[in-house]
Amino acid sequence: MPHTAPEELFSTPENDGVVMASWERFLLERELPAATIRNTIGHSWYRCAGADVDYRRDRAPTPLHGDAFERIRQSCLELIDASTPVMASARQFLYETGTVMALADPAGLILNVEGDRTLRGATENIHFVPGASWSEVSCGTNAIGTAIETGRPVQIHSNEHFCEGIKQWSCSAAVIRDPCDGSILGAVDVSGLRRSYSRHSMALVVATAARIEGRLAQIEMDVRYRLLDRCLDRLSAATGDDVVVFDRHGRAIRANGDVTAILGRLGAGGREASAGLAALNLDWRRGATRPGRLPEWVRAEWLTPIQDGGERLGAVLV
């Protein structure tokens, strides 16, 4: 995680009046008085203005329902499964502090909400519900959208929100990253009305994101062990064939010899060959039976999917 100075990490509720005055001036002049707000907030306001976000917005766009939402959920099923028990373990804190916890996908669309049921009416009023988009483009400066935009934990309190109809809320969020390549898989957020502000919310989302990442890493490790176990005979067979094993995401993870030499024999160029296994990453989407794109020097018939009980673990190239 990139280093973030403490003064950038946390909101300061006692500065709420100054922040409001800065926001009003920003709307008029598109400029910010020096040192009146955090850089994280100022940069976000500029992004919102550049994207023509309506500052008068008081809720997220209409949430997705039915098949459209279910398709997104299915694409994030592993993230949801990994996060469900972790979010459930935070229930007591959420009930005691009058807050809710949300899981969002990498585009800022809420997948799941857990927490204080007394907030249900308030969260429904602003569409802080599954299926609603809380990206910066959809809702202006907010913890989910701004955390995803910056890739860093962020706390957004009251008047720091760009849209005036959301300024009665206080929220903290941290991104959840893929344990293999560091890409952003989503975000976890804790939100409540402005009186619920607490620095502890930031600690909670950072710890929750880390626990979810740990569960995802364990899931990935278990799948890779099963994959390699099923490929062991091919990797160790003295047939003279070049063998490369790919995980279920299309990432090359093991070969039965010198990778540079194997790539050279396949016909990869000098730069690609020197890149090693990284040169053999395939565009293999969840649910697809074949990669969407192959290097010119790899033939589709060389690839054999490896499955276990109907679950695709990866593939082997021979």
Side-chain angles (χ1 to χ4, degrees):
M1 182 184 75
H3 174 72
T4 306
E7 61 270 17
E8 279 294 316
L9 201 60
F10 297 101
S11 302
T12 308
E14 51 267 33
N15 290 344
D16 219 23
V18 173
V19 172
M20 186 65 177
S22 297
W23 177 76
E24 291 171 341
R25 177 174 174 179
F26 178 78
L27 294 180
L28 290 172
E29 303 175 4
R30 289 294 186 267
E31 290 184 2
L32 289 169
T36 58
I37 62 169
R38 294 179 289 156
N39 289 331
T40 299
I41 304 303
H43 292 160
S44 176
W45 287 0
Y46 277 113
R47 287 194 298 271
C48 294
D52 291 326
V53 176
D54 186 353
Y55 73 90
R56 296 163 297 185
R57 179 175 284 280
D58 61 359
R59 65 191 66 189
T62 302
L64 294 179
H65 296 288
D67 291 344
F69 181 45
E70 188 57 31
R71 282 193 295 271
I72 292 175
R73 278 183 54 85
Q74 287 300 316
S75 70
C76 299
L77 205 54
E78 203 159 277
L79 174 65
I80 294 171
D81 290 344
S83 67
T84 297
V86 180
M87 291 175 65
S89 69
R91 282 175 187 159
Q92 192 60 39
F93 174 89
L94 300 171
Y95 292 154
E96 291 174 355
T97 57
T99 56
V100 294
M101 178 178 284
L103 176 73
D105 78 354
L109 186 133
I110 294 180
L111 301 168
N112 192 21
V113 177
E114 176 77 69
D116 191 340
R117 293 186 182 90
T118 64
L119 280 178
R120 184 170 180 177
T123 55
E124 288 180 349
N125 283 341
I126 64 169
H127 292 166
F128 196 80
V129 295
S133 173
W134 280 79
S135 66
E136 280 194 343
V137 171
S138 297
C139 296
T141 305
N142 73 92
I144 290 176
T146 304
I148 290 173
E149 192 69 36
T150 63
R152 299 179 179 183
V154 64
Q155 189 168 60
I156 310 292
H157 176 71
S158 188
N159 291 326
E160 292 178 328
H161 289 87
F162 183 75
C163 297
E164 64 181 348
I166 308 171
K167 288 183 179 291
Q168 72 271 32
W169 290 84
S170 185
C171 49
S172 302
V175 295
I176 301 164
R177 293 187 179 274
D178 186 310
C180 295
D181 63 16
S183 61
I184 294 176
L185 299 176
V188 62
D189 167 275
V190 168
S191 290
L193 295 172
R194 63 173 60 138
R195 64 176 178 271
S196 71
Y197 170 82
S198 170
R199 284 194 168 204
H200 296 305
S201 296
M202 176 65 85
L204 177 60
V205 295
V206 170
T208 301
R211 288 181 63 192
I212 294 171
E213 289 171 354
R215 288 178 60 85
L216 289 168
Q218 187 59 58
I219 291 170
E220 195 64 42
M221 191 64 68
D222 290 345
V223 172
R224 285 191 176 189
Y225 279 141
R226 290 160 58 200
L227 170 63
L228 290 172
D229 182 61
R230 288 184 168 269
C231 295
L232 195 59
D233 289 345
R234 304 191 199 205
L235 285 167
S236 57
T239 61
D241 292 331
D242 293 325
V243 177
V244 181
V245 178
F246 296 86
D247 70 9
R248 58 197 174 139
H249 307 289
R251 293 182 285 241
I253 61 171
R254 190 67 60 87
N256 68 338
D258 179 81
V259 177
T260 302
I262 290 174
L263 292 172
R265 287 193 291 273
L266 283 170
R271 179 178 298 179
E272 291 174 313
S274 64
L277 287 177
L280 273 172
N281 283 358
L282 309 176
D283 179 20
W284 205 324
R285 303 300 172 88
R286 184 185 182 94
T289 57
R290 290 284 178 182
R293 174 185 53 80
L294 288 173
E296 294 180 359
W297 30 273
V298 173
R299 298 178 187 172
E301 59 266 28
W302 294 347
L303 281 168
T304 302
I306 304 298
Q307 297 189 331
D308 181 16
E311 177 187 3
R312 183 170 63 81
L313 304 180
V316 61
L317 181 148
V318 180

